[in-house]
Structure formats: structure tokens, C-alpha cells
Amino acid sequence: MNTHEVTNQSEPWSGANLFDANRPLQEALACHAPALDTARLSALGALAGSADMLEHARLANTHAPRLHTHDVQGRRLDQVEFHPSYHVLLGGALRFGLHGTPWSAGALSHVERAAGFMLFTELEPSVLCPVSMTYAVTPALRANTAIAQAWMPKLAATTYDPRFVPFAGKSTLTMGMGMTEKQGGSDVRANTTRAEFDGDTEWGQAYRLTGHKWFFSAPMCDAFLVLAQTESAPKTPLASAPRGGASGLGRPGAGSGLSCFFVPRFKPDGSVNPIRIQRLKDKLGNHANASSEVEFGGDVTGWLVGDEGRGVAQILAMGALTRLDCALGSAGLMRAALSMAIHHTRQRLAFGKALAEQPLMKNVLADLAIESEAATALALRLATSIDATENRTDEHELLMRRVLTPIAKFWVCKRGAMLAQEAMECLGGNGYVEAQGQGVMARIYREMPLNSIWEGAGNIMALDLLRALRGADVAAAIERELAPARGQHAAFDAAAARLLGALGTTGDANQEAQARRLARDTALLVQASLLRRHSSDAVFAAFCAARLAAPSDVFGVLPAGLDVDAIIRRALP
Ligand SMILES: Cc1cc2nc3c(=O)[nH]c(=O)nc-3n(C[C@H](O)[C@H](O)[C@H](O)COP(=O)(O)OP(=O)(O)OC[C@H]3O[C@@H](n4cnc5c(N)ncnc54)[C@H](O)[C@@H]3O)c2cc1C
């Protein structure tokens, strides 16, 4: 007798074309970028869903990066070793141009890149950390013409070059960001890293950095934008001053302020810029990505980017783009979790029929589906505002770019973690099992909270929305954004009237303690409006009923009378 016959277990979610299967994404793109040729996205969808790439994702997450601080003779190395699968994945992301490519003229639109970023996240999100940072910092380099000319072409190039060698000999370059210090992350003004002027060079003003960064992800990137405090003294080279000179310069919050520095791993003369990697973070998820702690011992050189004392403004510009990627990433992970939940429940039988045919499971799946589609819609909408504002002036899109950034980052990332829990439960016990990285749902669950924390956690996003709302014409712009859905559903109209009333006052709704409520309400209405524009009647009706008329804390409580079958079929044919 065969004692090991496996029955009634689902096949792995593998081999699907993640773009061709994703009708919500296709229709959102058709609405926002009707002229876009989606052939490249379809090719990426096939790659990202392939068994080979899924195995690379498993291996890259199972074999975590290792830090080598010294060589066997005791010389500093400060290098991180990755599993070969990490390089395959990162190479795939760069080949598509998910990093700096949209900033080079005509190469790739931001919206196509955004769709590609979502698809790639379904495959593996951790390797996208340096990809996203490169995307975000590339435009900031324009504030230093010499560095921009030398580096920008290679930040947009698509042939991955993982070697730890000087930038001049590399085909492609990647970049990271260093803001967070032990004593303050959200409040970067608390940064204590000091920058002391060291002379004028071909790359502009050079400084010596002394201090640390408590989170410094992807330290094998070729360069970083780093925040440090400068002094206000006249610019005279400190060539003869002691290294890291403890001259009382750059006291926290003193001096001429926080400035932004370009800190490469190799200096222009080919010598190593001695960034000391202290250790790698032992993280809940995001295992394929190395996140480090670093120290700058006074002998690290950074070049000023932008004006001295304007570092916070520079960082905010970069942060806005990484926040877009957080929303895109969470939407991609939600889509992956939803696909696995539907795929599994269609195969698994319980109580005489497939789980996906059980009325209560249908309610859960349809509810997850509308959440996932609404996340995709909001994140992609934000991405369209980048295209509409980078090379032309569109006032409405400028306001949307400003307002939707904190809203999408806050709401999509928050909802992601909840959706992952429910999608995991659809898989039953197997959903909770890692099995040497084969349990993809467990990996998604561990990854989900990260997008909500980094690049500005939830409260910071909600407070940023309050700042955005102080701008002129913002309430009118939101009203215009909601217009396509007005008069289509009673719950939408009632919620829109409440929100617009609150935006029109400077009363309670704009107080700090209510900021999350405002961010949630705006997000839900913008999502509903987008679903009206490019989703089905069934999805729009369900979203209005379940998110605006009678919101619930738990998935699977859609009211009776909605076409759940149509919603699930649309989500995954
Ligand atoms: C895996 C990982 C990788 C990272 N990589 C990088 C990196 O490469 N570079 C980098 O610079 N940083 C990086 N970070 C750091 C990350 O951006 C910060 O952790 C994040 O910005 C929060 O800062 P903090 O940890 O100092 O928390 P805090 O600033 O102490 O915030 C703690 C909590 O307080 C809330 N809060 C703060 N101020 C207020 C307020 N005024 N009102 C109400 N609530 C408030 C926040 O929303 C948050 O929930 C990384 C973090 C992680 C987890």
C-alpha cells in the first residue's frame, strides 16, 4: 500500500504570465496611458511568473547576504556577499529599467516603469530596494552638474554590473540613501553626522564626514546620498586639520544645517572611500536585501549636492519617489497574495466542493480582490502624475502628485499587511509554513509591514498630508479628482460631501490627531473614483458598499446582492 499519496493539495502558483493574468492592471494602464505598448510588460510578466525566477527568489531569500568586514590578513573589506540568485534577480530588474531609466529622455515612462515595478514585486520585493533608491536619487543628482554628467547615464543603463570596482570601469551603477541615525529617523533634523569642508574639486565642494547611519540599505550600491550637518564657518580647506577633527563643528541642530552629500564607495582617483559597515540588520523579512549600519570615521569623502543647508528639501524630493515605490510595492505584494489565494482555493476541496465555490470563501476572495484592485489603481494613479509633471506643467497633476504621495503610501501600505493575513488564511495551515522558502505566502506576510515603516511611517505620512492640504487649490483638486464617480452611488456621494466639507474647513479635520482619518477617507474616495473610471460595475459597487457605506475591520463581510463571481473572475481568470 502506498502510504505517501498526496491528494487534494494545490499546485504551486508558478508559470503564469503575471501581466496577462492581471486585468485590473491592464485596464488601469489603458485608462491612464492609452498609447502605451504593453508588449514589454507582458514579457516581464512572463519572466516574473516563471518557475526559474521563482526559484531564484527562493534561493536569494534563503541564503541571506553575508558581511565581510575584513580579509584574512585583517585588512578592511566592508563588502557584502550575495547568493548568485540575488544577482540574477537584480539583473532582471535593471534590464527592464526599473531603476534610473525613466529619467533619461524618452527611454521609459514613469507609468510603464511603475507597472513593471509592481510585476517584479510579485516575484521578489527585496532586490528592489536598491532599484527603488536608484530611481529616487537620480533626479536629485541634477543639483550637482559634474556628478550628474558622470553618473546619470550609468544609473539609467540596463546591463547589471555587480563588481566592487571604481565607477569609471562599470557599465551600470546603483545608488542608496543614508538618512536614519540612532537618535532619529523620522525627524532627520536630529542627524548628528558632521561634514567638514575639505576643498573644491572637479565634483564641486568636497567634505569629510564623521558620524554614522543606523539604517543603510544595499551597501554594495556604488554611491549614496547622505545627510550631514555642515558648519557655517567660511570655506577653507581642512587639509591640515585632524581627521574627524573634534573641533566642536556641527553640533546637533547647530551650524548652517543639514546638507545632502554624494558619497561613492570609490573616490574619483580609484581609491576606496572608507565607509565602515558595522553589521547587517537581522530583519523580520526582506531577507534577500542587505540592510546595514555604517560609520564614517572622518576620512570618508562626500560631495555637496544642492545648496548647503538645503538637505531636508533634497531628501523630501527623493522620499516622495521612494514613497511612490512603497505604494507600488505593497500593491504588487497584495496582487501576489490575492492570486495565490484564488489559485489555491480553486483547487482545494473541502466539504464536497472547491473552497472557491463556498459562498463564504467567495465573499472573502471578492473582498480581497476589490482591495487589491483599489491598491493597484491608487498606486498607478500616483505614478501617472510623475509623467504629467516632469516634462510639462499640469497644475492639477502637480497637486495630485503632492497629495496622493502620502495618501497612497499611508493607505496602500497599511492595507497590505491586513490583506496578507487574510490571504494567508485562505491557504490554511500551509500558508503559515516557510518550508525553506517555498512558502511564498509566509514570505509576503513578513515583507508587508516594511513598506509601511520605511521612507516615512504611517503617522508621518498622515501628518505630511496635512501639510499638503495647506496648499492653495488642493481641496478643489481633490474635488475634481472625485468628479468621475459623483452621482453614481449614494454612499460615494455622502462620503465625498463629508470629506469635501472637512477639507473646506480649518477645524477639527485638519488637526494632527485626526490626520489618519483624513488620509483614510481621502484614499478610499480617490480609489472609488478610479474604480469608476477603469474597473467594472461590480467592483465599483462592491467597493462603495464595503468601504464607504458600511466599512468593516475584517475581510469577507461584503453585503448580500453583489456579483462576487464576476469580481473574482475579473481578478484572476
Ligand atoms: C529594513 C529597513 C531598511 C531601511 N533602510 C534605510 C536606508 O537605506 N536608509 C535610511 O536612511 N533609512 C532606512 N531605514 C530607516 C527607516 O526609514 C526608518 O526606520 C523610518 O523612517 C522610521 O524612523 P525611526 O526608525 O527612527 O522611527 P521614529 O522616527 O522613532 O518613529 C517611530 C514611530 O513614531 C511615529 N512618529 C514620529 N514622529 C511622530 C509625530 N510627530 N507624531 C506622531 N507619530 C510620530 C512614526 O510614524 C513611527 O511610527 C530602513 C528601515 C528598515 C526597517
Side-chain angles (χ1 to χ4, degrees):
M1 177 187 168
N2 186 353
T3 58
H4 188 76
E5 190 183 352
V6 179
T7 61
N8 197 26
Q9 290 282 357
S10 60
E11 292 298 317
W13 171 240
S14 168
N17 183 316
L18 301 182
F19 180 74
D20 293 356
N22 192 341
R23 192 168 157 199
L25 176 59
Q26 292 164 23
E27 294 190 359
L29 283 169
C31 172
H32 296 299
L36 178 69
D37 177 356
T38 56
R40 279 165 42 87
L41 288 169
S42 183
L44 182 63
L47 179 78
S50 69
D52 280 358
M53 290 303 270
L54 290 169
E55 179 62 359
H56 284 305
R58 184 187 77 78
L59 290 168
N61 277 279
T62 314
H63 300 276
R66 294 174 61 187
L67 172 63
H68 302 290
T69 53
H70 300 80
D71 71 7
V72 71
Q73 290 86 13
R75 286 180 285 261
R76 292 292 312 202
L77 283 175
D78 297 296
Q79 293 178 42
V80 179
E81 180 186 354
F82 294 92
H83 188 272
S85 288
Y86 172 89
H87 296 298
V88 173
L89 292 164
L90 189 48
L94 266 49
R95 200 160 45 249
F96 189 85
L98 298 180
H99 54 318
T101 311
W103 305 109
S104 62
L108 183 72
S109 68
H110 292 275
V111 76
E112 184 178 5
R113 182 250 172 209
F117 194 89
M118 282 196 263
L119 292 172
F120 208 98
T121 306
E122 290 192 52
L123 165 64
E124 212 298 302
S126 323
V127 301
L128 292 178
C129 173
V131 172
S132 175
M133 291 193 291
T134 305
Y135 173 66
V137 301
T138 299
L141 290 185
R142 292 175 186 147
N144 182 319
T145 311
I147 294 174
Q149 277 174 357
W151 280 68
M152 280 184 75
K154 290 187 180 182
L155 292 167
T158 53
T159 314
Y160 176 48
D161 187 342
R163 292 171 303 148
F164 185 61
V165 296
F167 70 91
K170 293 190 71 170
S171 57
T172 311
L173 302 168
T174 55
M175 284 187 63
M177 298 154 70
M179 287 95 78
T180 311
E181 298 185 3
K182 296 186 189 79
Q183 71 284 353
S186 307
D187 187 1
V188 290
R189 294 168 307 176
N191 273 200
T192 59
T193 297
R194 301 193 313 273
E196 298 172 55
F197 184 64
D198 195 27
D200 289 309
T201 73
E202 65 193 74
W203 281 357
Q205 294 174 9
Y207 285 72
R208 289 185 188 163
L209 303 187
T210 308
H212 80 282
K213 294 294 164 186
W214 184 230
F215 282 93
F216 198 78
S217 282
M220 294 306 286
C221 284
D222 299 284
F224 302 82
L225 287 187
V226 166
L227 281 184
Q229 303 276 1
T230 52
E231 49 146 342
S232 52
K235 298 284 172 289
T236 43
L238 295 179
S240 58
R243 290 222 149 177
S247 53
L249 298 175
R251 295 182 313 281
S256 61
L258 217 46
S259 306
C260 182
F261 294 93
F262 176 81
V263 182
R265 296 262 355 225
F266 288 87
K267 298 181 194 178
D269 65 5
S271 64
V272 171
N273 205 12
I275 299 169
R276 301 297 181 223
I277 306 179
Q278 301 297 102
R279 63 173 171 175
L280 298 186
K281 299 285 191 190
D282 182 8
K283 298 174 287 186
L284 170 66
N286 194 248
H287 286 162
N289 180 33
S291 298
S292 67
E293 299 162 12
V294 296
E295 289 189 0
F296 311 127
D299 47 2
V300 169
T301 306
W303 283 264
L304 187 65
V305 175
D307 293 334
E308 187 177 350
R310 296 280 302 150
V312 173
Q314 287 277 14
I315 288 295
L316 286 179
M318 297 183 298
L321 294 167
T322 48
R323 287 166 187 175
L324 162 68
D325 281 2
C326 290
L328 292 169
S330 289
L333 287 175
M334 287 159 94
R335 171 71 197 174
L338 169 72
S339 302
M340 271 181 256
I342 298 177
H343 176 76
H344 170 81
T345 54
R346 281 177 177 161
Q347 297 173 65
R348 175 82 165 177
L349 305 178
F351 304 100
K353 56 183 172 185
L355 286 173
E357 294 305 318
Q358 310 281 357
L360 187 51
M361 182 59 90
K362 283 191 197 182
N363 194 318
V364 171
L365 294 173
D367 208 357
L368 295 177
I370 62 170
E371 190 68 37
S372 169
E373 179 158 359
T376 296
L378 183 55
L380 203 75
R381 170 68 185 90
L382 175 57
T384 64
S385 72
I386 313 286
D387 281 315
T389 52
E390 273 307 310
N391 299 315
R392 56 185 199 271
T393 309
D394 181 321
E395 283 305 319
H396 178 71
E397 291 300 313
L398 269 175
L399 291 172
M400 282 300 111
R401 182 173 172 176
R402 175 67 187 94
V403 164
L404 293 184
T405 299
I407 288 174
K409 161 74 161 89
F410 171 70
W411 188 244
V412 174
C413 299
K414 278 271 170 273
R415 297 293 289 175
M418 289 179 224
L419 183 142
Q421 189 277 328
E422 197 65 60
M424 173 185 275
E425 197 163 315
C426 292
L427 271 60
N430 287 356
Y432 195 68
V433 172
E434 297 265 0
Q436 289 83 45
Q438 294 171 67
V440 179
M441 194 66 98
R443 193 197 308 155
I444 290 175
Y445 182 76
R446 285 188 280 96
E447 185 78 18
M448 273 294 196
L450 181 53
N451 277 330
S452 190
I453 294 173
W454 63 8
E455 305 303 336
N459 287 354
I460 298 300
M461 289 303 93
L463 294 172
D464 187 49
L465 173 63
L466 290 189
R467 267 190 299 280
L469 290 174
R470 286 188 209 122
D473 304 330
V474 178
I478 292 174
E479 185 169 8
R480 182 174 159 196
E481 191 69 16
L482 302 186
R486 297 297 280 276
Q488 313 266 326
H489 196 289
F492 182 93
D493 288 344
R498 273 196 307 276
L499 176 74
L500 294 171
L503 293 179
T505 70
T506 52
D508 284 350
N510 286 345
Q511 297 303 313
E512 282 191 24
Q514 296 301 313
R516 278 184 180 227
R517 176 182 289 269
L518 198 60
R520 177 201 62 186
D521 293 350
T522 317
L524 288 173
L525 281 160
V526 173
Q527 286 181 319
S529 172
L530 291 166
L531 294 176
R532 177 68 295 175
R533 285 171 70 187
H534 54 68
S535 186
S536 67
D537 291 346
V539 169
F540 175 68
F543 193 85
C544 288
R547 300 293 183 272
L548 300 176
S552 161
D553 292 337
V554 66
F555 288 105
V557 291
L558 295 179
L562 297 169
D563 193 348
V564 291
D565 290 316
I567 294 170
I568 298 167
R569 264 200 316 277
R570 173 182 172 80
L572 197 67

